Amino acid sequence: MTEQALLPKFEADLALELVPVVEEAAIASARTMGEGDRDKSDRVAVQAMRQAFEQIAFAGNIVIGEGERDKAPMLYIGERVGTPPEGTACAEVDIAVDPLEGTNLCALGTPNAISVLAASEKGGLLHAPDCYMDKIVAGPACRGSLDLDAPVEENLKEIARCLDRRVQDLVIVVLDRPRHEKLIEEIRKAGARIRLIPDGDLSAGIAAAVRGAGVHAVMGIGGAPEGVITAAAVRCLHGAMVGRLVVDTPELEERIVGMGIRDPRRVYSARDLAPGRNIVFAACGVTDGALLRGVRFFGQGCRTHSLVLTMSVNKVRFMDTVHMETPPGPRGIRIN
Ligand code: VTB
């Protein structure tokens, strides 16, 4: 359960310190955009993110990362990151990372690849297994109205009612996967509009939790680790989310129970997935997307666009940063 909360000032300071971590991972992977090598794009993002963590004077503990220690050389679950200051007591911070969310998107140069992390006090983020999660994500108006066990049409009617519009006026994001054939058919039958995405249900979830992004909900099955990070953002944005692990084999069920999850079929809310009192969420665009611009390189550096959310310190920050590689020449630094 949630241990001692961090101080709000710590949350605010940490948020700003964590921005370079997603920025560096985004810059490194953006350099590989379009190379068609998703593993390389991911690898350089992980490397850059890990190095950037070292610059922060804190005691970070990876709770969602690249996988188990023996399979992931870096940012594995349980890895300690950061450089805790010597001689002073330092609050432990749990961290969930996805150095490159949408490896294919980056490898192909298509929209919505991001580098992302969430941080909270110890115990503030569910240690989700690397399996699938069935989810519905929507904005604050839909809190308490989403039901994973209800027919698709009913959820859509509820979302439409909460948003004071007709079902036909809704845009629902769904990952383009064969497993969603029935879901897509039911959304179509109910009359809502659909945006099929090749990858990246995490950034779609953030878009659904804010107004004006042209997305009203995300429905369907995606990664559970991405689900926890989405929940961290949703909590900061006061949005609505329900999720349930997809447990389809006895082996997986055993693994999940072994991880301390008593009821593998439990329906989680955003608060259950990210119960922390202090939450920091940071994302940086790799390729251009609905919410964030991708990394733009120019002669003497590059420019990044990040989103930073904090929960107890209620802030949504967009950060537009010019990274200068060398001292600018006589013509100065280009900023757009
Ligand atoms: C989704 C998607 C991610 O994984 O969570 C997906 O949003 C789920 O796995 O970008 P499948 O690809 O097996 O459907 C990603 O595609 C990659 O992490």
Side-chain angles (χ1 to χ4, degrees), residues 8-21:
K9 166 137 182 19
F10 185 82
E11 185 189 90
D13 291 349
L14 187 64
L16 298 183
E17 292 214 57
L18 287 171
V19 178
V21 176

Side-chain angles (χ1 to χ4, degrees), residues 101-102 132 135 175 177 179 199-202 222-223 226:
E101 153 65 348
Y132 286 119
K135 358 176 175 173
L175 274 169
R177 297 289 187 277
R179 62 176 177 266
D199 285 291
D201 67 346
L202 202 166
E226 287 91 343

